[in-house]
């Protein structure tokens, strides 16, 4: 056991490698066919764990973005200015492939490599993943407009970061945001009132003048946004709306204010109005919701990774603290109740990672079974990983005692960050209803998915009983609509059990099944970790 510091204060966790200290992540990368990425992930792991990177992540959330609506001479500029630490984190995300890797690397395992990078980045500074992952998710949509794509392709493939606020044709790289939500509708996009009036065709496709508002405009300083608006001749349609028009004049996107958010404070989220904003159509007329759902399926996977990453960082911080802090003659980590809590948290974090990485691996596949799995499990994983991370980060904060509840430590930011992933890209109820929608649209595929899970589980009777309940529920759609959260929760737990039984150590898999399916787990973390040797699970979790 580590020695006692003279004043029993825990040394700051810094200058460690997020990748090489995480044997579970390394195994997932190998299993997912991405050993080719290992040297780069080791480099990234050292970069993310370096003291100056950790400090930049903290500074980006301390020095918040500032909105400047007018220039000193009164010209409308609608500029959001960021601390240099934000630009450093954005450049790191870009360099590490979070803006584009699986969209330009044809290897199916590029999705696994990407997952490992975003998982580590979220542990250090999650706010910068918002514009980064939206940029990545926009790429399949922008390809639908061939002349526009010809202008954008090289700039989206670029791994440099350019923070300048200039016409995007003058930049080597650009970022893309999203503008979907309006104040009167929220998740109900069918109520959107923003309009788009045809204004002819140009070099980049069908042009429109857009008027209206967006209650949440994600990352307003992006070079362009995908915006949902009502084309009067065709209904809700997706448009690409740049900050600057092609002629070099500022586009009619007026930022009214930046949201004062609970967490995710490094990342600017705006409220905007469109005043004859110039845009070009992306995708078919009247198919705007279907087009943007494609983007959401990508960003929902990213949210599942973000939830897993926040849990991982909270676990590592809690373990580090508990191994270095002593009470009543023993390290906190060796106190029986604390050991059980940490072991239960380690199981939760491992299962969350396995689920996200398995989905990433399936995103690189065109097999029918994999496509069904990701259509049904992606919203369920987003729901569960993000929901669990909220309670998880609270428990980790409590491990620190009073030191966890002060802003000078790392836990407050993790705790405030966690809920945003449950809300953005569809709240918990929306995700659970999306699971049911996918099941109802492909009932036979859903039945086959449950059969595949049964084959993976083998002869494990406790999990099989829960699988039976899921199959029974599918036969009663009316009741199922009222039990959407139960269905998503049980589906995820069964899927996680199957993944643990296939990929975790025998002890960790047995502990996961015994705790999650034993009948006395779930109200609080740490009530039951499913094993008589919880310390063994902690030795697997993190190499300090």
């Amino acid at each position: 056991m580590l020695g006692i510091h003279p004043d029993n204060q825990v040394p700051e966790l810094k200058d460690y490698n997020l990748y090489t200290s995480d044997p579970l992540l390394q195994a997932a990368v190998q299993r997912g066919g991405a050993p080719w990425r290992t040297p780069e992930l080791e480099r990234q792991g050292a970069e993310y764990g370096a003291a100056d990177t950790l400090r930049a992540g903290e500074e980006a959330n301390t020095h918040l973005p500032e909105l400047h609506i007018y220039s000193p001479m009164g010209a409308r500029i609608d500029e959001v200015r960021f601390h240099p630490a934000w630009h450093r984190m954005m450049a790191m995300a870009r360099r590490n492939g979070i803006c584009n890797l699986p969209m330009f690397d044809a290897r199916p395992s590029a999705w696994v490599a990407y997952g490992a990078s975003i998982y580590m980045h979220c542990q250090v500074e999650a706010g910068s993943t918002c514009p980064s992952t939206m940029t990545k998710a926009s790429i399949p949509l922008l390809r639908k407009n061939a002349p526009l794509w010809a202008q954008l392709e090289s700039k989206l493939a670029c791994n440099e970061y350019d923070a300048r606020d200039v016409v995007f044709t003058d930049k080597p790289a650009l970022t893309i945001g999203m503008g979907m939500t309006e104040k009167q509708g929220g998740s109900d996009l069918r109520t959107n009132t923003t309009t788009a009036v045809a204004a002819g065709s140009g070099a980049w496709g069908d042009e429109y003048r857009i008027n209206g508002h967006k209650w949440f405009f994600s990352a307003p300083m992006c070079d362009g946004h995908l915006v949902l608006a009502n084309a009067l001749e065709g209904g809700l349609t997706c448009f690409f709306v740049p900050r600057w028009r092609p002629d070099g004049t500022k586009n009619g996107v007026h930022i009214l204010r930046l949201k004062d958010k609970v967490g995710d404070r490094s990342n600017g989220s705006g409220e905007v109005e469109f005043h004859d904003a110039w845009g070009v159509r992306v995708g078919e007329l009247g198919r705007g919701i279907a087009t943007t759902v494609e983007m959401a399926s990508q960003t929902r996977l990213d949210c599942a990774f973000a939830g897993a990453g926040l849990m991982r960082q909270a676990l590592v911080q809690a373990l580090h603290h508990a191994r270095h802090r002593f009470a009543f003659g023993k390290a906190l980590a060796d106190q029986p109740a604390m050991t059980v809590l940490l072991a239960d948290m380690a199981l939760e974090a491992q299962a969350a990672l396995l689920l996200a990485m398995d989905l990433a691996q399936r995103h690189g596949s065109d097999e029918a079974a994999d496509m069904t799995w990701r259509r049904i499990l992606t919203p369920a994983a987003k729901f569960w990983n993000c929901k669990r991370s909220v309670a998880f980060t609270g428990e980790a904060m409590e491990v620190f005692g009073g030191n966890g509840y002060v802003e000078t430590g790392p836990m407050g930011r993790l705790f405030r960050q966690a809920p945003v992933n449950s809300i953005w890209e569809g709240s918990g109820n929306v995700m659970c209803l999306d699971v049911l929608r996918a099941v109802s649209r492909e009932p036979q595929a859903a039945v086959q998915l449950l059969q595949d899970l049964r084959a993976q589980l083998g002869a494990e009777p406790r999990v099989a009983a829960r699988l039976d309940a899921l199959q029974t529920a599918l036969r009663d759609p009316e009741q199922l609509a009222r039990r959407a959260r139960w269905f998503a929760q049980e589906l995820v737990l069964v899927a996680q059990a199957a993944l643990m039984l296939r990929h975790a150590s025998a002890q960790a898999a047995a502990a996961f099944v015994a705790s999650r399916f034993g009948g006395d787990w779930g109200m609080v973390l740490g009530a039951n970790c499913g094993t008589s040797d919880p310390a063994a699970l902690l030795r697997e979790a993190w190499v300090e």
Side-chain angles (χ1 to χ4, degrees):
M1 178 50 65
L2 301 167
I4 303 177
H5 191 273
D7 57 7
N8 199 24
Q9 288 296 308
V10 177
E12 182 183 357
L13 178 59
K14 60 183 180 180
D15 292 324
Y16 74 108
N17 190 307
L18 270 68
Y19 188 72
T20 60
S21 65
D22 190 342
L24 303 176
L25 177 59
Q26 294 173 69
V29 168
Q30 294 293 316
R31 189 167 55 246
W36 53 269
R37 189 70 169 175
T38 297
E40 171 61 14
L41 291 173
E42 290 177 348
R43 183 201 67 76
Q44 290 181 19
E47 180 179 47
Y48 283 126
D52 57 345
T53 302
L54 298 173
R55 190 176 306 112
E58 179 181 330
E59 289 177 347
N61 285 270
T62 302
H63 305 283
L64 306 188
E66 299 176 350
L67 173 60
H68 295 260
I69 296 177
Y70 298 102
S71 74
M73 301 305 294
R76 185 102 200 190
I77 58 173
D78 296 286
E79 181 181 354
V80 183
R81 297 175 187 167
F82 293 87
H83 188 271
W86 165 262
H87 295 301
R88 175 175 178 171
M89 299 310 302
M90 286 291 291
M92 195 175 297
R94 188 105 199 183
R95 181 171 62 251
N96 292 347
I98 294 171
C99 291
N100 55 23
L101 175 61
M103 297 302 172
F104 290 100
D105 191 318
R107 287 172 285 194
S109 57
W111 280 97
V112 172
Y114 164 81
S117 292
I118 190 172
Y119 178 71
M120 291 191 289
H121 193 98
C122 284
Q123 295 181 48
V124 176
E125 206 297 293
S128 49
T129 63
C130 174
S132 301
T133 65
M134 285 193 298
T135 299
K136 181 262 304 179
S138 73
I139 291 171
L141 277 64
L142 292 166
R143 283 179 169 140
K144 296 176 184 291
N145 180 330
L148 177 63
W149 178 246
Q151 292 286 330
L152 302 183
E153 181 177 8
S154 65
K155 301 174 188 301
L156 290 168
C158 180
N159 285 330
E160 299 175 23
Y161 170 68
D162 188 339
R164 292 177 301 155
D165 184 24
V166 297
V167 180
F168 73 81
T169 52
D170 294 339
K171 300 178 68 169
L174 50 80
T175 55
I176 306 293
M178 184 192 302
M180 308 296 168
T181 306
E182 297 184 5
K183 66 180 69 173
Q184 74 283 348
S187 296
D188 187 0
L189 299 177
R190 295 169 300 177
T191 66
N192 280 15
T193 60
T194 296
T195 61
V197 177
S201 294
W204 296 350
D206 295 338
E207 301 179 354
Y208 286 77
R209 293 193 308 274
I210 297 172
N211 288 276
H213 84 282
K214 293 298 171 184
W215 186 241
F216 274 94
F217 199 62
S218 294
M221 281 309 293
C222 287
D223 298 288
H225 288 77
L226 290 171
V227 172
L228 194 63
N230 276 290
L232 300 185
E233 72 277 25
L236 283 169
T237 302
C238 184
F239 299 92
F240 173 71
V241 180
R243 264 188 64 77
W244 297 86
R245 296 186 183 95
D247 63 6
T249 60
K250 184 186 173 300
N251 208 357
V253 181
H254 294 182
I255 305 174
L256 305 182
R257 61 172 173 167
L258 297 181
K259 300 291 191 179
D260 187 7
K261 296 174 293 183
V262 172
D264 199 64
R265 298 180 70 80
S266 65
N267 175 41
S269 300
E271 181 182 336
V272 304
E273 287 181 351
F274 303 113
H275 295 264
D276 276 341
W278 180 91
V280 291
R281 178 170 59 83
V282 175
E284 299 176 38
L285 276 170
R287 297 279 296 166
I289 292 179
T291 301
T292 55
V293 163
E294 293 182 41
M295 187 173 184
S297 69
Q298 307 275 354
T299 50
R300 286 171 180 175
L301 173 63
D302 299 331
C303 287
F305 269 111
L310 290 174
M311 284 191 273
R312 172 64 186 181
Q313 181 61 201
L315 171 66
V316 167
Q317 291 286 351
L319 269 172
H320 176 71
H321 182 89
R323 287 172 176 173
H324 289 268
R325 180 78 168 179
F326 287 74
F328 307 108
K330 290 197 298 187
L332 290 181
D334 295 329
Q335 304 284 355
M338 180 65 77
T339 310
V340 171
L341 170 62
L342 293 170
D344 196 22
M345 292 170 66
L347 287 174
E348 188 78 17
Q350 181 176 4
L353 171 64
L354 286 178
L355 183 61
M357 286 297 259
D358 184 77
L359 281 170
Q361 191 170 348
R362 293 174 191 272
H363 266 72
S365 168
D366 292 327
E367 295 290 330
D370 291 328
M371 293 173 70
T372 296
W373 182 283
R374 67 179 188 244
R375 275 195 297 269
I376 297 175
L377 263 296
T378 298
K382 192 268 192 191
F383 163 72
W384 188 248
N385 280 8
C386 297
K387 192 68 65 181
R388 296 297 293 171
S389 71
V390 178
F392 194 105
T393 51
E395 287 287 0
M397 177 186 287
E398 196 170 325
V399 170
F400 283 66
N403 287 340
Y405 201 65
V406 293
E407 292 292 356
T408 50
M411 301 313 299
R413 177 155 59 95
L414 290 175
F415 183 66
R416 289 193 307 274
Q417 184 71 30
V420 72
N421 297 300
S422 277
I423 297 169
W424 284 1
E425 312 305 338
S427 62
N429 282 351
V430 172
M431 291 301 95
C432 296
L433 291 172
D434 275 0
V435 172
L436 297 191
R437 193 173 297 114
V439 165
S440 66
R441 286 175 178 169
E442 301 179 78
Q444 290 305 311
V447 169
Q448 184 60 53
L449 184 149
L450 296 183
Q451 291 175 351
D452 291 344
L453 280 170
R454 192 178 297 280
Q456 295 174 32
L457 291 168
E460 175 42 63
R462 291 166 293 186
V463 188
R466 305 276 271 273
L467 194 54
D468 291 340
L470 287 169
Q471 288 183 308
T472 300
L474 288 178
R475 304 188 194 110
D476 190 351
E478 279 191 33
Q479 280 283 8
L480 195 55
R482 290 190 287 269
R483 305 184 71 198
R485 283 187 171 227
W486 168 85
F487 188 87
Q489 169 188 289
E490 294 299 287
L491 181 62
V492 167
L493 285 172
V494 169
Q496 286 183 329
L499 292 167
M500 291 289 285
L501 288 165
R502 285 170 58 198
H503 302 312
S505 69
Q507 182 162 0
F512 185 86
V513 171
S515 57
R516 274 64 179 164
F517 297 86
D520 59 352
W521 173 88
M523 294 301 291
V524 293
L525 284 161
N528 177 10
C529 69
T531 177
S532 60
D533 187 11
L537 299 180
L538 300 183
R539 289 192 292 271
E540 291 183 13
W542 183 46
V543 181
E544 187 169 5

